[in-house]
Amino acid sequence: MNIFAEAARLYEQNTPFALASIIETKGSAPRHDAIILVLEDGTTRGTIGGGMIERHVIGAAIDALKEGRSRVIKGSMSRTGKDAMDMDCGGTMTVHIDVQGIRPDMLLIGGGHVNRAVAKLASELGYRITVVDSWEPNLNARLFPPNTQLILGATIQDAISQATIRDNTQVIIATNHEDTIALPTILNSSARYIGQLASRRKVETLHKKCLELGISEARFQEVRTPVGLDIGAESPEEIAVSIMGEILALSRGKLSRGKGLRKGDEQSATRSSTNSRNDNLVMIRGAGDLASGTAVKLHNSGFKVVMLDLPKPTVIRTNVSFAGALLNESGQITVEGITAHKARSVADAVRIMSDGRIPIMADPDGQTLRQFKPAILVDGILAKQNLGTNRNMAPITIALGPGFHAGQDVDAVIETCRGHNLARVIYQGAAEPNTGKPGTIMGYAEERVLRAPCAGTVTPAVAIGDLVEEGQVVAQVRSDNGTQPVITRIGGKVRGMISTGSEVTPGFKIGDIDPRGTSVDHTTVSDKARAIAGGVLEAILKLSAV
């Protein structure tokens, strides 16, 4: 068999081998120019002349393979003197032993954005990549380098059990909500390098879980968590650089292995790191009534909240929406005793939060995200579609209603459709699709909604809280062709009305009537908003703990 063809085959199989080549001979020697291929078990291909000198070279090659380092050795084919091989040829031989085929293995647990970026960089650095996950969309081959081994399991533990883990396998754990299963499973393997993508709060939870499962404190302290060097990384690609930088530093003796929960200068700059994040800050995109209900709940639960919306929000329930601070001349609004103020800069917003209030900024695209660095981002725009929110925006991302896929766009989705599943937290999948039909109250659905009869500027004729009768004019829409009335089709209490001067298109929702009339409290957060807010809080607590 051709030695080089065999070497190429072994390299592709990631099978370690050594090529021992004669580089110099002096005097009498059995061979002057030859190569022998040696495997870890001592199996050989080819020969450098046989005898004691070849046995010496094979033994040295096995030692080199164990250490993973190439070397040069010398042998004297004599019975006395330095490097004597107990032979009678009398010459000397110098052999270079080149260790090959030891491509480091990397096991990525979780096929999300960060591990995809890690896979690409690690592949370029010569690693053989295996990715395991329990969610099939995360294992799309197009998302990973060629020849990546992809393993799908019924559970993350099942997926891990199908992977080959050696003591030199580099393991990076970055799942959505399965770390409490993945980390203990890996700690019970022979892996020596284990990196965990996690917030400080999550690390403490993982620590407690591992100890409960009988894993020793010493073994847990071998985990690099939060994983990655502190380089201020935020995007998946930057985080991948920080992780691979740490792995290279460890492999070259520039860092000690295993630091457990690290602090100070060694704190990781990963997506979930808390040294570059405001650990208690929630950013909410959108400031309508449902988003505001969530803001009230989180503010009362001890979180700092900042809200973003359009410069002129088109909210309907203006009296219970913090978006009102962007519409009112005073630049503020109070809902259930909590005051929101219009903030004109990030520094202004920080000052408002320090006073125990909620800042709201005209920033629909989230341009201030990088400055705020929130620990949690909630998409409460309720646009029935994703307008740009993704899981890289914050360690925890949550969206309200349809248009998002939990586990893909965001970490969790909250059901907003009235009914049995209202406020249910979804960690894999989507909310019920938008039907285009309002929720039914006392048998009324579409009849409750007030819509613009034409394009133009709205002038309300009634205020929120007023009682109206069927057939009453509740607003006017002024267009180039004159003014058209907006007439309610049912009687009840005005629950929502768009602000004066709002520009609308034909069919645009400008308000709603609640047929329950006086029994409805229009001055506080609605029952629906309160339920959804509870779902958001549940998701935050759950995702912070895993």
Side-chain angles (χ1 to χ4, degrees), residues 98 104 176 248 378 380 386 404 420 428 444 466:
D98 186 17
N176 181 28
L248 291 176
V378 178
N386 189 343
F404 301 88
H420 180 73
Q428 292 286 348
Y444 297 104
D466 287 351

Side-chain angles (χ1 to χ4, degrees), residues 105-120:
D105 287 319
M106 178 168 287
L107 174 61
L108 302 178
I109 301 177
H113 296 286
V114 170
N115 270 351
R116 292 170 196 169
V118 171
K120 291 176 183 177

Side-chain angles (χ1 to χ4, degrees), residues 310-329:
L310 297 165
K312 292 184 179 180
T314 54
V315 294
I316 304 302
R317 295 184 174 176
T318 52
N319 67 318
V320 289
S321 297
F322 287 126
L326 297 174
L327 298 170
N328 301 338
E329 290 185 6

Side-chain angles (χ1 to χ4, degrees), residues 302-354:
F303 291 90
K304 292 182 178 179
V305 178
V306 60
M307 305 186 79
L308 312 179
D309 211 318
L310 297 165
K312 292 184 179 180
T314 54
V315 294
I316 304 302
R317 295 184 174 176
T318 52
N319 67 318
V320 289
S321 297
F322 287 126
L326 297 174
L327 298 170
N328 301 338
E329 290 185 6
S330 65
Q332 66 180 55
I333 187 172
T334 300
V335 178
E336 295 199 1
I338 301 169
T339 300
H341 283 257
K342 179 179 180 179
R344 292 170 173 77
S345 67
V346 171
D348 194 20
V350 171
R351 178 185 58 78
I352 292 169
M353 281 190 286
S354 67

Side-chain angles (χ1 to χ4, degrees), residues 183 187 192 194-200 202-204 206-207 216-228 246 250 256-264 266-268:
L183 181 57
L187 285 173
R192 292 181 299 176
I194 305 169
Q196 172 71 60
L197 191 72
S199 66
R200 182 165 298 191
K202 179 184 281 189
V203 171
E204 292 169 352
L206 290 170
H207 181 229
S216 70
E217 178 68 27
R219 178 57 168 155
F220 182 84
Q221 290 300 321
E222 294 178 6
V223 181
R224 301 290 299 189
T225 185
V227 67
E246 181 173 85
L250 284 167
S256 60
R257 288 186 178 273
K259 290 289 185 179
L261 176 56
R262 289 170 286 149
K263 299 179 181 179
E266 287 190 304
Q267 176 68 35
S268 169

Side-chain angles (χ1 to χ4, degrees), residues 309-310 312-318 327 381-384 436 438 446 448-459 474-477 484-487 489 496-512:
D309 211 318
L310 297 165
K312 292 184 179 180
T314 54
V315 294
I316 304 302
R317 295 184 174 176
T318 52
L327 298 170
I381 299 174
L382 278 299
K384 309 299 189 295
E446 181 61 34
R448 299 190 298 106
V449 180
L450 303 173
R451 299 190 183 277
C454 60
T457 304
V458 178
T459 301
V474 294
Q476 302 280 352
V477 179
Q484 293 192 41
V486 179
I487 300 173
R489 289 180 282 177
M497 179 59 67
I498 203 167
S499 59
T500 300
S502 296
E503 297 288 337
V504 297
T505 55
F508 193 91
K509 181 180 177 180
I510 67 166
D512 68 282

Side-chain angles (χ1 to χ4, degrees), residues 7-144:
R9 185 185 70 82
L10 293 170
Y11 185 84
E12 287 303 314
Q13 292 179 346
N14 202 32
T15 300
F17 64 93
L19 288 175
S21 308
I22 299 173
I23 57 176
E24 183 182 46
T25 59
K26 291 181 180 179
S28 178
R31 297 287 295 271
H32 297 278
D33 182 14
I35 297 176
I36 186 172
L37 184 152
V38 183
L39 298 177
E40 288 179 301
D41 63 358
T43 303
T44 62
R45 302 285 189 278
T47 180
I48 56 171
M52 295 300 297
I53 185 68
E54 183 166 295
R55 294 181 192 176
H56 175 61
V57 169
I58 292 171
I62 292 172
D63 290 341
L65 284 167
K66 289 179 180 178
E67 295 179 15
R69 294 182 180 181
S70 300
R71 62 188 63 183
V72 174
I73 63 168
K74 293 183 178 181
S76 173
M77 287 162 281
S78 61
R79 295 186 181 275
T80 60
K82 185 180 180 181
D83 302 320
M85 294 287 106
D86 197 28
M87 296 176 67
D88 295 319
C89 298
T92 62
M93 181 182 292
T94 302
V95 178
H96 178 253
I97 299 174
D98 186 17
V99 174
Q100 293 283 338
I102 304 181
R103 293 171 58 201
D105 287 319
M106 178 168 287
L107 174 61
L108 302 178
I109 301 177
H113 296 286
V114 170
N115 270 351
R116 292 170 196 169
V118 171
K120 291 176 183 177
L121 184 54
S123 178
E124 293 176 1
L125 293 173
Y127 284 83
R128 188 173 69 167
I129 312 297
T130 299
V131 183
V132 302
D133 208 304
S134 60
W135 193 52
E136 190 170 5
N138 272 353
L139 296 177
N140 186 332
R142 293 178 297 177
L143 302 174
F144 297 95

